[in-house]
Amino acid sequence: MAHTVNVNFKLDADVKKSMEQACTDMGLSMSAAFTIFAKKVGRERRIPFEVSADPFYSESNMAHLRRGIAALDAGKGAEHELIEVDDE
């Protein structure tokens, strides 16, 4: 039998709760799920799913948002037609 070791890491509480529920629904423990993940990474030498950055948080978009916030703070907000008001 293989020698087992403990691995400790931190997770956001909501992420842990969501994963625990998903694992329970699949009939797995979190330990079994992480073991499956670790074995697949070790065997394939890659993360077994696509990992990508959310383009919303790109530096160019964050700079655009900062400029927009600064303009609003300076009272230079643009008028828009997004909100419909019912004058009944």
Coordinates of all heavy atoms in Angstrom, one line a residue:
M1 N 0.8 -1.2 0.0 CA 0.0 0.0 0.0 C 0.9 1.2 0.0 O 1.9 1.3 0.7 CB -0.9 0.0 1.2 CG -1.8 1.2 1.3 SD -3.1 0.9 2.6 CE -4.2 2.1 2.0
A2 N 0.5 2.2 -0.7 CA 1.2 3.5 -0.9 C 1.2 4.3 0.5 O 0.2 4.2 1.2 CB 0.7 4.3 -2.0
H3 N 2.3 4.9 0.7 CA 2.4 5.8 1.9 C 1.7 7.0 1.6 O 1.9 7.7 0.6 CB 3.9 6.1 2.2 CG 4.1 7.0 3.3 ND1 3.9 6.6 4.6 CD2 4.5 8.3 3.3 CE1 4.2 7.7 5.4 NE2 4.6 8.7 4.6
T4 N 0.8 7.4 2.5 CA 0.0 8.7 2.3 C 0.6 9.8 3.2 O 1.2 9.6 4.2 CB -1.5 8.5 2.7 OG1 -1.6 8.1 4.1 CG2 -2.1 7.4 1.8
V5 N 0.4 11.0 2.7 CA 0.8 12.2 3.4 C -0.3 13.2 3.5 O -1.3 13.1 2.7 CB 2.0 12.9 2.7 CG1 3.2 12.0 2.7 CG2 1.7 13.3 1.3
N6 N -0.3 14.1 4.4 CA -1.3 15.2 4.5 C -0.8 16.4 3.7 O 0.4 16.7 3.7 CB -1.5 15.6 5.9 CG -2.2 14.6 6.8 OD1 -3.1 13.9 6.2 ND2 -1.9 14.5 8.0
V7 N -1.7 17.0 3.0 CA -1.5 18.2 2.2 C -2.5 19.3 2.8 O -3.7 19.0 2.8 CB -1.7 18.0 0.7 CG1 -1.4 19.3 0.0 CG2 -0.8 16.9 0.2
N8 N -1.9 20.4 3.2 CA -2.8 21.4 3.7 C -2.7 22.7 2.9 O -1.7 23.1 2.4 CB -2.3 21.8 5.2 CG -2.5 20.7 6.1 OD1 -3.5 20.0 6.2 ND2 -1.4 20.3 6.8
F9 N -3.9 23.3 2.6 CA -4.0 24.5 1.8 C -5.3 25.2 2.2 O -6.2 24.6 2.8 CB -3.8 24.3 0.3 CG -4.9 23.4 -0.3 CD1 -6.1 23.8 -0.7 CD2 -4.6 22.0 -0.4 CE1 -7.0 23.0 -1.2 CE2 -5.5 21.2 -0.9 CZ -6.7 21.6 -1.3
K10 N -5.3 26.5 1.9 CA -6.5 27.3 2.3 C -7.4 27.5 1.1 O -7.0 27.6 -0.1 CB -6.1 28.7 2.8 CG -5.3 28.6 4.1 CD -4.9 30.0 4.6 CE -4.1 29.8 5.9 NZ -3.9 31.1 6.5
L11 N -8.7 27.5 1.4 CA -9.8 27.7 0.4 C -10.7 28.7 1.0 O -11.0 28.8 2.2 CB -10.6 26.4 0.1 CG -10.1 25.4 -0.8 CD1 -11.1 24.2 -0.9 CD2 -9.9 25.9 -2.2
D12 N -11.3 29.5 0.1 CA -12.4 30.4 0.5 C -13.6 29.5 1.1 O -13.8 28.4 0.5 CB -12.9 31.2 -0.7 CG -14.1 32.1 -0.3 OD1 -13.9 33.2 0.2 OD2 -15.3 31.6 -0.6
A13 N -14.2 29.9 2.2 CA -15.2 29.1 2.8 C -16.4 28.7 1.9 O -16.9 27.6 1.9 CB -15.7 29.8 4.1
D14 N -16.8 29.7 1.1 CA -17.9 29.4 0.1 C -17.5 28.4 -1.0 O -18.3 27.6 -1.4 CB -18.4 30.7 -0.5 CG -19.1 31.6 0.4 OD1 -19.6 31.1 1.5 OD2 -19.1 32.8 0.2
V15 N -16.2 28.5 -1.4 CA -15.7 27.5 -2.4 C -15.7 26.1 -1.8 O -16.1 25.2 -2.4 CB -14.3 28.0 -2.9 CG1 -13.7 26.9 -3.8 CG2 -14.3 29.3 -3.7
K16 N -15.2 26.0 -0.6 CA -15.1 24.7 0.1 C -16.5 24.1 0.3 O -16.8 23.0 0.0 CB -14.5 24.9 1.5 CG -14.4 23.6 2.2 CD -13.7 23.8 3.6 CE -13.7 22.5 4.4 NZ -14.9 22.1 5.1
K17 N -17.5 25.0 0.7 CA -18.8 24.5 0.9 C -19.4 24.0 -0.4 O -20.1 22.9 -0.5 CB -19.7 25.6 1.5 CG -21.1 25.2 1.8 CD -21.9 26.3 2.5 CE -23.3 25.9 2.8 NZ -24.1 26.9 3.4
S18 N -19.2 24.8 -1.5 CA -19.7 24.4 -2.8 C -19.1 23.1 -3.3 O -19.8 22.2 -3.8 CB -19.4 25.5 -3.8 OG -19.8 25.2 -5.1
M19 N -17.8 22.9 -3.1 CA -17.1 21.7 -3.5 C -17.6 20.5 -2.7 O -17.8 19.4 -3.2 CB -15.6 21.9 -3.4 CG -14.9 20.6 -3.9 SD -13.1 20.8 -4.0 CE -12.6 19.2 -4.5
E20 N -17.7 20.7 -1.4 CA -18.2 19.6 -0.5 C -19.6 19.1 -1.0 O -19.8 17.9 -1.1 CB -18.3 20.1 0.9 CG -17.0 20.2 1.7 CD -17.2 20.7 3.1 OE1 -18.0 21.6 3.3 OE2 -16.4 20.2 3.9
Q21 N -20.4 20.1 -1.4 CA -21.8 19.7 -1.8 C -21.7 18.9 -3.2 O -22.3 17.9 -3.4 CB -22.7 20.9 -2.0 CG -24.1 20.5 -2.3 CD -24.8 19.6 -1.3 OE1 -24.8 19.9 -0.1 NE2 -25.2 18.4 -1.7
A22 N -20.9 19.4 -4.1 CA -20.7 18.8 -5.4 C -20.1 17.4 -5.2 O -20.6 16.4 -5.8 CB -19.8 19.6 -6.3
C23 N -19.1 17.2 -4.3 CA -18.5 15.9 -4.1 C -19.5 15.0 -3.5 O -19.6 13.8 -3.9 CB -17.3 16.1 -3.1 SG -15.9 16.8 -4.0
T24 N -20.3 15.5 -2.5 CA -21.4 14.6 -1.9 C -22.4 14.2 -3.0 O -22.8 13.0 -3.0 CB -22.1 15.4 -0.8 OG1 -21.2 15.8 0.2 CG2 -23.3 14.7 -0.2
D25 N -22.8 15.1 -3.8 CA -23.7 14.7 -4.9 C -23.1 13.6 -5.8 O -23.9 12.8 -6.4 CB -24.1 16.0 -5.7 CG -24.9 17.0 -5.0 OD1 -25.4 16.6 -3.9 OD2 -25.0 18.1 -5.5
M26 N -21.8 13.6 -6.0 CA -21.2 12.6 -6.8 C -20.7 11.3 -6.0 O -20.2 10.4 -6.6 CB -19.9 13.2 -7.5 CG -20.2 14.2 -8.5 SD -18.8 14.8 -9.4 CE -18.2 16.0 -8.2
G27 N -21.0 11.3 -4.7 CA -20.6 10.2 -3.9 C -19.1 10.1 -3.6 O -18.6 9.1 -3.4
L28 N -18.5 11.3 -3.6 CA -17.0 11.4 -3.4 C -16.7 12.2 -2.1 O -17.5 13.1 -1.8 CB -16.3 12.1 -4.5 CG -16.3 11.4 -5.9 CD1 -15.7 12.4 -6.9 CD2 -15.4 10.2 -5.8
S29 N -15.6 11.9 -1.5 CA -15.1 12.8 -0.4 C -14.3 13.9 -1.1 O -13.8 13.7 -2.3 CB -14.3 12.1 0.6 OG -13.1 11.6 -0.1
M30 N -14.0 15.0 -0.5 CA -13.1 16.0 -1.0 C -11.7 15.4 -1.2 O -11.0 15.7 -2.2 CB -13.1 17.3 -0.2 CG -14.3 18.1 -0.4 SD -14.3 19.7 0.5 CE -12.8 20.4 0.0
S31 N -11.3 14.6 -0.3 CA -10.0 13.9 -0.4 C -9.9 13.1 -1.7 O -8.9 13.1 -2.4 CB -9.8 13.1 0.8 OG -8.5 12.5 0.8
A32 N -11.0 12.3 -2.0 CA -11.0 11.5 -3.2 C -10.9 12.4 -4.4 O -10.2 12.1 -5.4 CB -12.2 10.6 -3.2
A33 N -11.7 13.5 -4.4 CA -11.7 14.4 -5.6 C -10.3 15.0 -5.8 O -9.9 15.1 -6.9 CB -12.8 15.5 -5.3
F34 N -9.7 15.4 -4.7 CA -8.3 16.0 -4.9 C -7.3 14.9 -5.3 O -6.4 15.2 -6.1 CB -7.9 16.7 -3.6 CG -8.5 18.1 -3.4 CD1 -9.3 18.3 -2.3 CD2 -8.2 19.1 -4.3 CE1 -9.8 19.6 -2.1 CE2 -8.7 20.3 -4.1 CZ -9.6 20.6 -3.1
T35 N -7.5 13.7 -4.9 CA -6.6 12.6 -5.3 C -6.8 12.4 -6.8 O -5.8 12.2 -7.5 CB -6.9 11.4 -4.5 OG1 -6.6 11.6 -3.1 CG2 -6.0 10.2 -4.9
I36 N -8.0 12.3 -7.3 CA -8.3 12.2 -8.7 C -7.6 13.3 -9.5 O -6.9 13.0 -10.5 CB -9.8 12.1 -9.0 CG1 -10.4 10.9 -8.4 CG2 -10.1 12.3 -10.5 CD1 -12.0 10.9 -8.3
F37 N -7.8 14.5 -9.0 CA -7.2 15.7 -9.7 C -5.6 15.5 -9.7 O -5.0 15.7 -10.8 CB -7.6 17.0 -9.0 CG -6.8 18.2 -9.5 CD1 -7.2 18.8 -10.7 CD2 -5.8 18.7 -8.8 CE1 -6.6 19.9 -11.1 CE2 -5.1 19.8 -9.2 CZ -5.5 20.4 -10.4
A38 N -5.0 15.2 -8.6 CA -3.6 15.0 -8.5 C -3.0 13.9 -9.4 O -2.0 14.1 -10.0 CB -3.2 14.8 -7.0
K39 N -3.7 12.8 -9.4 CA -3.3 11.7 -10.3 C -3.4 12.1 -11.7 O -2.4 11.8 -12.5 CB -4.1 10.5 -10.0 CG -3.8 9.8 -8.7 CD -4.6 8.5 -8.5 CE -4.2 7.8 -7.3 NZ -5.0 6.5 -7.1
K40 N -4.4 12.8 -12.1 CA -4.5 13.2 -13.5 C -3.4 14.2 -13.9 O -2.8 14.1 -15.0 CB -5.9 13.8 -13.8 CG -6.2 14.0 -15.2 CD -7.7 14.1 -15.5 CE -8.1 14.3 -16.9 NZ -8.0 13.1 -17.7
V41 N -3.2 15.2 -13.0 CA -2.1 16.2 -13.3 C -0.8 15.4 -13.4 O 0.0 15.7 -14.3 CB -2.0 17.2 -12.2 CG1 -0.8 18.1 -12.3 CG2 -3.3 18.1 -12.2
G42 N -0.5 14.5 -12.5 CA 0.8 13.8 -12.5 C 0.9 12.9 -13.7 O 2.0 12.8 -14.3
R43 N -0.2 12.3 -14.2 CA -0.1 11.4 -15.4 C 0.0 12.2 -16.7 O 0.8 11.9 -17.5 CB -1.4 10.6 -15.4 CG -1.4 9.5 -16.5 CD -2.6 8.6 -16.4 NE -3.9 9.3 -16.3 CZ -4.7 9.3 -15.2 NH1 -4.3 8.7 -14.1 NH2 -5.8 9.9 -15.1
E44 N -0.8 13.3 -16.8 CA -0.8 14.1 -18.0 C 0.1 15.3 -18.1 O 0.3 15.9 -19.1 CB -2.3 14.6 -18.3 CG -3.2 13.4 -18.5 CD -4.7 13.9 -18.7 OE1 -4.9 15.1 -18.9 OE2 -5.6 13.0 -18.8
R45 N 0.7 15.6 -16.9 CA 1.6 16.8 -16.8 C 1.0 18.1 -17.3 O 1.6 18.9 -18.0 CB 2.9 16.5 -17.6 CG 3.5 15.1 -17.4 CD 3.9 14.9 -15.9 NE 5.0 15.6 -15.5 CZ 5.5 15.7 -14.3 NH1 4.8 15.0 -13.3 NH2 6.5 16.4 -13.9
R46 N -0.3 18.3 -16.9 CA -1.0 19.5 -17.3 C -2.2 19.6 -16.4 O -2.6 18.6 -15.7 CB -1.5 19.4 -18.7 CG -2.6 18.4 -19.0 CD -3.1 18.4 -20.5 NE -4.2 17.5 -20.6 CZ -5.5 17.9 -20.5 NH1 -5.8 19.2 -20.2 NH2 -6.5 17.1 -20.6
I47 N -2.8 20.8 -16.3 CA -4.0 21.0 -15.6 C -5.1 20.4 -16.5 O -5.2 20.7 -17.6 CB -4.3 22.5 -15.3 CG1 -3.2 23.2 -14.5 CG2 -5.6 22.7 -14.6 CD1 -3.0 22.7 -13.1
P48 N -6.0 19.5 -15.9 CA -6.9 18.8 -16.8 C -8.2 19.6 -17.2 O -9.2 19.0 -17.5 CB -7.3 17.6 -15.9 CG -7.1 18.1 -14.5 CD -6.0 19.0 -14.6
F49 N -8.1 20.9 -17.2 CA -9.1 21.8 -17.7 C -8.5 23.1 -18.1 O -7.4 23.4 -17.8 CB -10.2 22.0 -16.7 CG -9.7 22.3 -15.3 CD1 -9.4 23.6 -15.0 CD2 -9.6 21.3 -14.4 CE1 -8.9 23.9 -13.7 CE2 -9.1 21.6 -13.1 CZ -8.7 22.9 -12.8
E50 N -9.2 23.9 -18.9 CA -8.7 25.1 -19.4 C -8.6 26.1 -18.3 O -9.6 26.3 -17.5 CB -9.6 25.7 -20.5 CG -9.1 27.0 -21.1 CD -9.9 27.5 -22.2 OE1 -10.7 26.8 -22.8 OE2 -9.8 28.8 -22.4
V51 N -7.5 26.8 -18.1 CA -7.3 27.9 -17.2 C -7.0 29.1 -18.0 O -6.1 29.2 -18.8 CB -6.2 27.6 -16.2 CG1 -6.0 28.7 -15.2 CG2 -6.4 26.3 -15.5
S52 N -7.9 30.2 -17.8 CA -7.7 31.4 -18.5 C -8.0 32.6 -17.6 O -8.7 32.5 -16.6 CB -8.5 31.4 -19.8 OG -9.9 31.4 -19.4
A53 N -7.4 33.7 -17.9 CA -7.7 34.9 -17.2 C -9.0 35.6 -17.7 O -9.3 35.5 -18.9 CB -6.5 35.9 -17.4
D54 N -9.7 36.1 -16.7 CA -10.9 36.9 -17.1 C -10.5 38.2 -17.7 O -9.9 39.0 -17.1 CB -11.8 37.1 -15.8 CG -13.1 37.7 -16.1 OD1 -13.3 38.3 -17.1 OD2 -14.0 37.6 -15.2
P55 N -10.9 38.4 -19.0 CA -10.5 39.7 -19.6 C -11.0 40.9 -19.0 O -10.5 42.0 -19.1 CB -11.1 39.5 -21.1 CG -12.1 38.5 -21.0 CD -11.8 37.6 -19.8
F56 N -12.0 40.8 -18.1 CA -12.5 42.0 -17.4 C -11.4 42.6 -16.6 O -11.4 43.8 -16.4 CB -13.7 41.6 -16.5 CG -14.3 42.7 -15.7 CD1 -15.2 43.6 -16.3 CD2 -13.8 43.0 -14.4 CE1 -15.7 44.7 -15.6 CE2 -14.3 44.0 -13.7 CZ -15.2 44.9 -14.3
Y57 N -10.6 41.8 -16.0 CA -9.5 42.2 -15.1 C -8.2 42.6 -15.8 O -7.2 42.8 -15.2 CB -9.3 41.2 -14.0 CG -10.5 41.1 -13.1 CD1 -11.3 40.0 -13.3 CD2 -10.8 42.0 -12.2 CE1 -12.5 39.8 -12.5 CE2 -11.9 41.9 -11.4 CZ -12.7 40.8 -11.5 OH -13.9 40.7 -10.7
S58 N -8.2 42.7 -17.2 CA -7.0 43.0 -17.9 C -6.6 44.5 -17.5 O -7.4 45.3 -17.1 CB -7.2 42.9 -19.4 OG -8.1 44.0 -19.8
E59 N -5.3 44.8 -17.6 CA -4.8 46.1 -17.2 C -5.5 47.2 -18.1 O -5.9 48.2 -17.6 CB -3.3 46.2 -17.4 CG -2.7 47.5 -16.9 CD -3.2 47.9 -15.5 OE1 -3.3 47.1 -14.6 OE2 -3.5 49.1 -15.3
S60 N -5.7 46.9 -19.4 CA -6.3 48.0 -20.2 C -7.8 48.2 -19.8 O -8.2 49.4 -19.8 CB -6.3 47.6 -21.7 OG -7.0 46.4 -21.9
N61 N -8.5 47.2 -19.4 CA -9.9 47.4 -19.0 C -9.9 48.1 -17.6 O -10.8 49.0 -17.4 CB -10.7 46.1 -18.9 CG -12.1 46.3 -18.8 OD1 -12.7 47.1 -19.5 ND2 -12.8 45.6 -17.9
M62 N -9.0 47.7 -16.7 CA -9.0 48.3 -15.4 C -8.6 49.8 -15.5 O -9.2 50.7 -14.8 CB -8.0 47.6 -14.5 CG -8.4 46.2 -14.2 SD -10.1 45.9 -13.7 CE -10.1 46.6 -12.0
A63 N -7.7 50.2 -16.5 CA -7.4 51.6 -16.7 C -8.6 52.3 -17.2 O -8.9 53.5 -16.8 CB -6.2 51.7 -17.7
H64 N -9.3 51.7 -18.1 CA -10.5 52.3 -18.7 C -11.6 52.6 -17.6 O -12.2 53.6 -17.5 CB -11.1 51.4 -19.8 CG -12.4 51.8 -20.3 ND1 -12.5 52.9 -21.2 CD2 -13.7 51.4 -20.1 CE1 -13.8 53.1 -21.5 NE2 -14.5 52.2 -20.8
L65 N -11.7 51.6 -16.7 CA -12.7 51.8 -15.6 C -12.2 52.9 -14.6 O -13.0 53.7 -14.2 CB -12.8 50.4 -14.8 CG -13.5 49.3 -15.6 CD1 -13.4 48.0 -14.8 CD2 -15.0 49.7 -15.8
R66 N -10.9 52.9 -14.4 CA -10.4 54.0 -13.5 C -10.7 55.4 -14.1 O -11.0 56.3 -13.4 CB -8.9 53.8 -13.2 CG -8.6 52.7 -12.2 CD -7.2 52.7 -11.7 NE -6.3 52.3 -12.8 CZ -5.9 51.0 -13.0 NH1 -6.5 50.0 -12.3 NH2 -5.1 50.7 -14.0
R67 N -10.5 55.5 -15.4 CA -10.7 56.8 -16.1 C -12.2 57.1 -16.0 O -12.6 58.3 -15.8 CB -10.3 56.7 -17.6 CG -8.8 56.7 -17.8 CD -8.4 56.9 -19.3 NE -9.0 55.9 -20.1 CZ -8.4 54.7 -20.4 NH1 -7.2 54.5 -19.8 NH2 -8.9 53.8 -21.2
G68 N -13.1 56.1 -16.2 CA -14.5 56.4 -16.1 C -14.9 56.8 -14.7 O -15.8 57.7 -14.5
I69 N -14.4 56.2 -13.7 CA -14.7 56.5 -12.3 C -14.2 57.9 -12.0 O -14.9 58.7 -11.4 CB -14.1 55.5 -11.3 CG1 -14.8 54.2 -11.5 CG2 -14.1 56.0 -9.9 CD1 -14.1 53.0 -10.8
A70 N -13.0 58.3 -12.5 CA -12.5 59.6 -12.3 C -13.4 60.7 -12.9 O -13.6 61.7 -12.4 CB -11.0 59.7 -12.8
A71 N -13.9 60.4 -14.1 CA -14.7 61.3 -14.8 C -16.1 61.5 -14.1 O -16.6 62.6 -13.9 CB -15.0 60.8 -16.3
L72 N -16.6 60.4 -13.6 CA -17.9 60.5 -12.8 C -17.6 61.3 -11.5 O -18.5 62.1 -11.1 CB -18.4 59.1 -12.5 CG -19.0 58.3 -13.6 CD1 -19.3 56.9 -13.2 CD2 -20.2 59.0 -14.1
D73 N -16.5 61.0 -10.9 CA -16.2 61.7 -9.6 C -16.0 63.2 -9.9 O -16.3 64.1 -9.0 CB -14.9 61.2 -9.0 CG -15.1 59.8 -8.3 OD1 -16.3 59.4 -8.1 OD2 -14.1 59.2 -8.0
A74 N -15.6 63.6 -11.1 CA -15.4 65.0 -11.5 C -16.7 65.6 -12.0 O -16.7 66.7 -12.5 CB -14.3 65.1 -12.5
G75 N -17.8 64.8 -12.0 CA -19.0 65.4 -12.5 C -19.2 65.4 -14.0 O -20.0 66.1 -14.5
K76 N -18.4 64.6 -14.6 CA -18.4 64.6 -16.1 C -19.1 63.3 -16.6 O -18.8 62.8 -17.7 CB -17.0 64.6 -16.7 CG -16.3 65.9 -16.3 CD -14.8 65.9 -16.8 CE -14.1 67.1 -16.3 NZ -12.7 67.0 -16.7
G77 N -20.1 62.8 -15.9 CA -20.8 61.6 -16.3 C -21.6 61.9 -17.6 O -22.1 63.0 -17.8
A78 N -21.8 60.9 -18.4 CA -22.6 61.0 -19.6 C -24.0 60.7 -19.4 O -24.3 59.8 -18.5 CB -22.0 60.1 -20.7
E79 N -24.9 61.3 -20.0 CA -26.3 61.0 -20.0 C -26.6 59.7 -20.8 O -25.8 59.4 -21.7 CB -27.2 62.1 -20.6 CG -27.1 63.4 -19.8 CD -27.8 63.3 -18.5 OE1 -28.8 62.6 -18.4 OE2 -27.3 63.9 -17.5
H80 N -27.5 59.0 -20.4 CA -27.8 57.7 -21.1 C -29.3 57.5 -21.0 O -30.1 58.1 -20.3 CB -27.0 56.5 -20.5 CG -27.3 56.3 -19.0 ND1 -28.4 55.7 -18.6 CD2 -26.6 56.7 -17.9 CE1 -28.4 55.6 -17.3 NE2 -27.3 56.2 -16.9
E81 N -29.8 56.5 -21.8 CA -31.2 56.2 -21.9 C -31.4 54.8 -21.4 O -32.4 54.1 -21.8 CB -31.6 56.2 -23.4 CG -31.4 57.6 -24.1 CD -32.4 58.6 -23.5 OE1 -33.5 58.3 -23.1 OE2 -32.0 59.8 -23.4
L82 N -30.6 54.3 -20.4 CA -30.7 52.9 -20.0 C -31.9 52.7 -19.0 O -32.5 51.6 -18.9 CB -29.4 52.5 -19.3 CG -28.2 52.4 -20.2 CD1 -27.0 52.1 -19.3 CD2 -28.4 51.4 -21.3
I83 N -32.3 53.7 -18.3 CA -33.4 53.6 -17.3 C -34.6 54.2 -17.8 O -34.7 55.4 -18.2 CB -33.0 54.2 -16.0 CG1 -31.7 53.6 -15.4 CG2 -34.2 54.1 -15.0 CD1 -31.2 54.3 -14.2
E84 N -35.7 53.4 -17.9 CA -37.0 53.9 -18.4 C -37.8 54.3 -17.2 O -37.9 53.5 -16.2 CB -37.7 52.8 -19.2 CG -37.0 52.5 -20.5 CD -37.8 51.4 -21.3 OE1 -39.0 51.3 -21.1 OE2 -37.1 50.8 -22.1
V85 N -38.4 55.4 -17.2 CA -39.2 55.9 -16.1 C -40.7 55.9 -16.6 O -41.0 56.5 -17.6 CB -38.8 57.3 -15.7 CG1 -39.7 57.8 -14.6 CG2 -37.3 57.3 -15.2
D86 N -41.5 55.3 -15.9 CA -43.0 55.3 -16.2 C -43.6 56.4 -15.4 O -43.6 56.4 -14.2 CB -43.6 53.9 -15.8 CG -45.0 53.7 -16.4 OD1 -45.4 54.6 -17.1 OD2 -45.6 52.7 -16.0
D87 N -44.1 57.4 -16.1 CA -44.6 58.6 -15.5 C -46.1 58.5 -15.2 O -46.9 59.5 -15.3 CB -44.4 59.8 -16.4 CG -42.9 60.2 -16.5 OD1 -42.2 59.9 -15.5 OD2 -42.5 60.7 -17.5
E88 N -46.6 57.4 -14.9 CA -48.1 57.2 -14.6 C -48.4 57.8 -13.2 O -47.8 57.8 -12.3 CB -48.4 55.7 -14.7 CG -48.4 55.2 -16.1 CD -48.9 53.8 -16.1 OE1 -49.8 53.4 -15.4 OE2 -48.3 53.0 -16.9

